[in-house]
Amino acid sequence: MSSPLTPTSFGPFDKGVISTGNPALNLKGALRRARGMYYDGIGRFVTRLGTQVVLTLKDDAGSPANVTSVCGCGHYKDRAWAVAHSTDTDKAYLYVLTPTMDGWYDSTGALQSDATPEPVAVLWTGITVAPDVTVAEELGYLVVAHAQAADASGLYFATRQWDGAYPVTLTNLKASGVGGIVGTDDAYFLGVVGFQQHLWGWGYGSGATGAAGYRPELARYSQPNFGPLQTADSITIGSRVRSEREKIIAGAAVGKALFLASAYLITRVTGTGRSSWYKDPVDEPVGLVGPKAHVAAGDSYWYFWSQRGPARISPSGPVEPLWDQIADLVRRVVNPEKIVASREEAQDLVIFTVDTGTGIRTRCAYDVRREVWLGPDDDYGIVIRAAGEVDEVKVSTAAGVAPPSGPPTTASTDFIGQTTARANWVNGDATAETQIEYRIQGTSTWNVVTSLAPGITSYTFSGLTADTSYEWRAVHQKAGQFSAYLGPVAGSQFTTVGLVAPTNLAAEELILTQLYVSWTNSGESGVSTEIEVDDPVAAVFSLKATASPGESSKVVSISRGVGSYDVRIRHVKGGVTPSAYAGPVTAVVT
Amino acid sequence: MSSTPYLCEAEGARILKAGVGISQVGTEYQVQLETWDDVPAGPVGDVLFRSIDVVGKMTNGYSIGITPYIDGVAQVEQLFSGFGTGEFQAQAFFAVRGTRCAAKVRTLTRAGELEFHDISNAHVIVRSTP
């Protein structure tokens, strides 16, 4: 009997969440709210992952104590950087960390493997409030700027620079110079970013002038390769001069564009170098609420929290509002200037951490692939000041492939025949294969004849040419790697044997003008036999006849008549050195 | 490979790795899902709602609470838990007449990962409206 009940799914749960305050704006969502969740790589709606402590930063006191605030972190070359502040020492510190955040480097560059990093250098002293910092990392340089380079007490915090050399030494970034020469005054930027090999900074101050009140709408850029700052190299983001409304508060390189943002304006800078940069204020500007309220999702979009709420913009398009769907949360945000944007790339999330009354800890995640909001009321569990991404720079952890432990040695050649010879060696690595090569001496090309199984120590060449000088060499091969060669050396050079002389030579008078010569052939194939006779008058051997291969006797004509004739013979073969002579024997003609 | 996100503690010395593990430093965090209303018999229809059904998958047990909402009014939350690995089903039975039905599902504790595959309601339509 079938049930009278009708099931209806609330789902599918693949369209994300819509705001409790604005249900009519997006009806594709199945969920009114979802916190503690994210979509994994195949679209499953799963519980979100957590957090774990990886490092606890220390100050530079004699007995290092914990710092009181961590101000930022990010990648630096193949490592990571962090900045922290201590209200105990009133200092801000720079740390250099492993990219996996499981160790740190001291000021000499020595790796320390514990989880309590100590600073490599002091950024600023006499600093009573934890700074918000921006860091430009490019071309090996690390440049750190204090977002309030001149504080309320009139203390200036110069932009600091490290050239990447150890022991770590920080210097103050120098202000504008002339003609490519570095100036003498310290520079006070409120923020910095690297873009196209140039250091860009804003809120520029120099000398005894802090950055707070001087040309707040002006972004300056350095010479190429983070070179000196020049007086005329600057861009204003709007159309006003010294306007607080156009005071730059953040910059970000996103793909081919640099975004410079004030609280009321966003300007996109494009071009390819300092002679071609073009500024383009974005239509419908919505501004940026704070220096940390933005993050680039790769080269595609710049996500930021505007005066109306979260939004995004591509390097070439208009501002795209994202605030509509979470308007309820947007209304509850306090202290928007402290919003921290970050990215969890593995989960395709851009995360805005906002303050809804309990500090910067309310987590608001946007799934950039599925373009849905998740967890508008989620919670990180602790109050954070900043966030950063670090690419883990790793080499392969696969076991290394061992090459042969040594080359073959001690070459010798024996059993040398006309067409064969045996090469011998001593294995340098009995677990490696041995590749054998040979060539005729004086030629340039080696012929690889075989690759022998491990442990074999000899190889017999065949098919050689008689009476020819050869040389061979051997090399061990293991897992695709080769040892050094053995040879050619004296022991690997040899000459094949020539033709073997016939034997049992006999000669006798047949008639007065003829001799009968007989012999035993060497047995080599294709060899003829040359018969030479010593003329008793001329007293020199001259060729009298050539017996065809296989013949073992020959009648030889003579012309001198009575006398003693010496007879000798040898085997000959085309292209091969003749054998030694057999004989002479003497035949007496009477 | 993707980059790893890190969080900087505002009032302390810690750097936290984010997007890792099934626990969180600091305040415990749990899942809370709230569905939109289902209106099976029209905006003023009359329906007898009988259950909220949750199906999913667990890697190390589950412990959830299901709260039915009928016409916006929360019913008694019913708690479910199970052990092991694999698919799970939880059915929160009730019998309330109304027009609209929604559900809130939350985790009470987390010992492993949970996937939520579907949340549905079972009902009998008493009177539909055009």
Side-chain angles (χ1 to χ4, degrees):
Chain A
M1 174 181 173
S2 61
S3 169
L5 293 173
T6 301
T8 304
S9 173
F10 292 103
F13 301 109
D14 59 356
K15 297 296 185 185
V17 183
I18 58 179
S19 168
T20 54
N22 300 275
L25 292 176
N26 182 359
L27 294 179
K28 70 179 182 179
L31 292 170
R32 180 190 295 266
R33 177 172 299 175
R35 54 183 289 182
M37 304 293 291
Y38 75 95
Y39 289 108
D40 72 0
I42 57 174
R44 295 177 305 185
F45 203 40
V46 301
T47 50
R48 83 166 165 89
L49 299 171
T51 59
Q52 66 183 31
V53 177
V54 289
L55 296 171
T56 303
L57 305 183
K58 300 292 184 179
D59 62 22
D60 66 345
S63 298
N66 288 355
V67 297
T68 52
S69 184
V70 184
C71 306
C73 67
H75 67 262
Y76 169 64
K77 297 206 292 192
D78 61 347
R79 301 178 180 182
W81 63 268
V83 170
H85 175 258
S86 170
T87 54
D88 297 330
T89 62
D90 286 346
K91 294 178 181 176
Y93 302 103
L94 175 66
Y95 302 80
V96 179
L97 312 169
T98 62
T100 48
M101 293 282 195
D102 55 1
W104 53 283
Y105 296 89
D106 65 18
S107 60
T108 67
L111 174 64
Q112 310 294 321
S113 57
D114 61 68
T116 53
E118 296 175 20
V120 295
V122 175
L123 284 164
W124 299 290
T125 59
I127 181 168
T128 57
V129 178
D132 288 332
V133 295
T134 54
V135 172
E137 181 269 332
E138 201 166 276
L139 296 166
Y141 287 93
L142 190 75
V143 181
V144 186
H146 187 319
Q148 292 177 312
D151 71 5
S153 302
L155 296 175
Y156 299 149
F157 302 109
T159 303
R160 304 285 271 165
Q161 177 176 262
W162 177 36
D163 62 5
Y166 294 94
V168 176
T169 301
L170 300 183
T171 58
N172 290 343
L173 187 70
K174 293 303 178 183
S176 296
V178 177
I181 305 300
V182 176
T184 57
D185 291 337
D186 296 335
Y188 302 92
F189 283 121
L190 301 183
V192 289
V193 65
F195 181 58
Q196 294 183 359
Q197 299 188 50
H198 300 257
L199 174 68
W200 289 65
W202 52 92
Y204 177 77
S206 65
T209 303
Y214 182 77
R215 299 302 302 270
E217 84 291 2
L218 195 69
R220 291 184 180 272
Y221 49 86
S222 74
Q223 297 274 299
N225 298 327
F226 272 36
L229 294 153
Q230 297 297 289
T231 306
D233 289 344
S234 61
I235 281 179
T236 55
I237 67 167
S239 303
R240 305 179 186 182
V241 176
R242 302 188 184 188
S243 166
E244 281 295 312
R245 293 181 64 87
E246 296 178 357
K247 175 182 177 181
I248 301 173
I249 57 176
V254 183
K256 293 183 286 187
L258 171 68
F259 288 103
L260 297 169
S262 77
Y264 300 96
L265 177 66
I266 292 174
T267 287
R268 178 166 34 217
V269 178
T270 55
T272 52
R274 57 200 293 267
S275 61
S276 66
W277 279 320
Y278 172 70
K279 71 172 183 181
D280 178 24
V282 175
D283 288 340
E284 301 178 10
V286 288
L288 178 70
V289 294
K292 293 175 287 187
H294 65 97
V295 65
D299 292 339
S300 59
Y301 278 102
W302 185 48
Y303 287 83
F304 61 100
W305 197 284
S306 73
Q307 301 295 341
R308 296 184 64 183
R312 70 179 183 182
I313 185 170
S314 74
S316 59
V319 171
E320 299 176 31
L322 300 175
W323 56 75
D324 294 338
Q325 298 171 29
I326 56 167
D328 184 47
L329 174 71
V330 172
R331 280 194 296 270
R332 291 189 284 120
V333 171
V334 297
N335 301 316
E337 71 280 5
K338 295 181 179 177
I339 288 174
V340 173
S342 60
R343 190 165 70 127
E344 292 186 10
E345 185 180 358
Q347 281 78 45
D348 306 309
L349 298 178
V350 163
I351 297 167
F352 293 98
T353 308
V354 303
D355 183 356
T356 54
T358 57
I360 301 294
R361 56 185 289 168
T362 299
R363 187 177 179 277
C364 179
Y366 185 75
D367 188 316
V368 299
R369 283 177 60 194
R370 299 159 191 85
E371 301 193 332
V372 295
W373 285 101
L374 293 169
D377 283 326
D378 214 336
D379 197 312
Y380 259 138
I382 65 167
V383 177
I384 67 169
R385 171 175 291 277
E389 293 175 74
V390 179
D391 295 314
E392 295 181 9
V393 181
K394 290 181 177 178
V395 296
S396 171
T397 56
V401 177
S405 57
T409 61
T410 321
S412 65
T413 309
D414 57 11
F415 298 110
I416 301 170
Q418 290 176 287
T419 60
T420 61
R422 188 177 73 174
N424 306 284
W425 61 90
V426 175
N427 281 325
D429 183 345
T431 64
E433 296 181 348
T434 305
Q435 179 173 295
I436 305 296
E437 305 169 18
Y438 80 102
R439 67 182 178 187
I440 295 174
Q441 291 183 33
T443 61
S444 59
T445 303
W446 288 98
N447 304 292
V448 178
V449 290
T450 188
S451 187
L452 302 169
I456 295 176
T457 58
S458 65
Y459 175 74
T460 299
F461 296 101
S462 61
L464 303 177
T465 301
D467 194 36
T468 304
S469 295
Y470 290 91
E471 58 189 357
W472 58 267
R473 64 180 185 177
V475 63
H476 283 326
Q477 177 184 3
K478 186 176 181 181
Q481 299 187 70
F482 290 83
S483 70
Y485 275 96
L486 164 64
V489 295
S492 70
Q493 294 176 319
F494 63 96
T495 301
T496 50
V497 176
L499 297 179
V500 176
T503 57
N504 299 325
L505 172 62
E508 57 184 347
E509 177 187 0
L510 185 60
I511 58 175
L512 184 62
T513 58
Q514 290 181 329
L515 296 178
Y516 176 75
V517 182
S518 65
W519 63 88
T520 301
N521 285 315
S522 65
E524 296 159 302
S525 65
V527 294
S528 304
T529 305
E530 289 182 345
I531 303 166
E532 298 179 11
V533 178
D534 178 10
D535 188 307
V537 176
V540 294
F541 283 101
S542 59
L543 180 63
K544 294 297 184 183
T546 300
S548 299
E551 288 185 300
S552 59
S553 64
K554 192 76 174 179
V555 174
V556 178
S557 296
I558 55 176
S559 58
R560 296 292 183 178
V562 176
S564 296
Y565 294 83
D566 290 336
V567 178
R568 66 181 186 183
I569 61 174
R570 65 178 182 179
H571 281 330
V572 296
K573 185 177 182 179
V576 180
T577 303
S579 73
Y581 284 99
V585 297
T586 302
V588 178
V589 177
T590 56
Chain B
M1 68 177 293
S2 60
S3 61
T4 302
Y6 293 95
L7 306 174
C8 302
E9 188 173 23
E11 298 168 357
R14 299 178 296 181
I15 293 178
L16 276 55
K17 186 176 185 178
V20 59
I22 58 167
S23 61
Q24 176 172 287
V25 175
T27 306
E28 185 183 24
Y29 71 120
Q30 299 295 341
V31 169
Q32 183 170 311
L33 306 176
E34 297 175 31
T35 71
W36 287 104
D37 286 335
D38 180 33
V39 188
V44 292
D46 195 3
V47 182
L48 177 60
F49 293 102
R50 292 305 309 272
S51 70
I52 300 293
D53 309 323
V54 178
V55 295
K57 191 174 183 180
M58 57 190 174
T59 62
N60 187 24
Y62 75 102
S63 178
I64 63 173
I66 300 174
T67 304
Y69 283 80
I70 304 301
D71 294 342
V73 177
Q75 309 300 304
V76 175
E77 182 182 39
Q78 300 179 39
L79 307 183
F80 302 85
S81 62
F83 300 96
T85 300
E87 302 287 334
F88 72 87
Q89 301 172 349
Q91 230 177 341
F93 287 105
F94 58 98
V96 178
R97 286 179 70 156
T99 300
R100 297 177 288 125
C101 176
K104 179 172 77 176
V105 180
R106 67 186 182 109
T107 57
L108 306 175
T109 61
R110 286 177 52 178
E113 294 179 3
L114 285 184
E115 300 170 17
F116 288 93
H117 297 167
D118 194 19
I119 304 171
S120 59
N121 69 80
H123 58 263
V124 175
I125 295 175
V126 178
R127 179 178 64 88
S128 292
T129 57

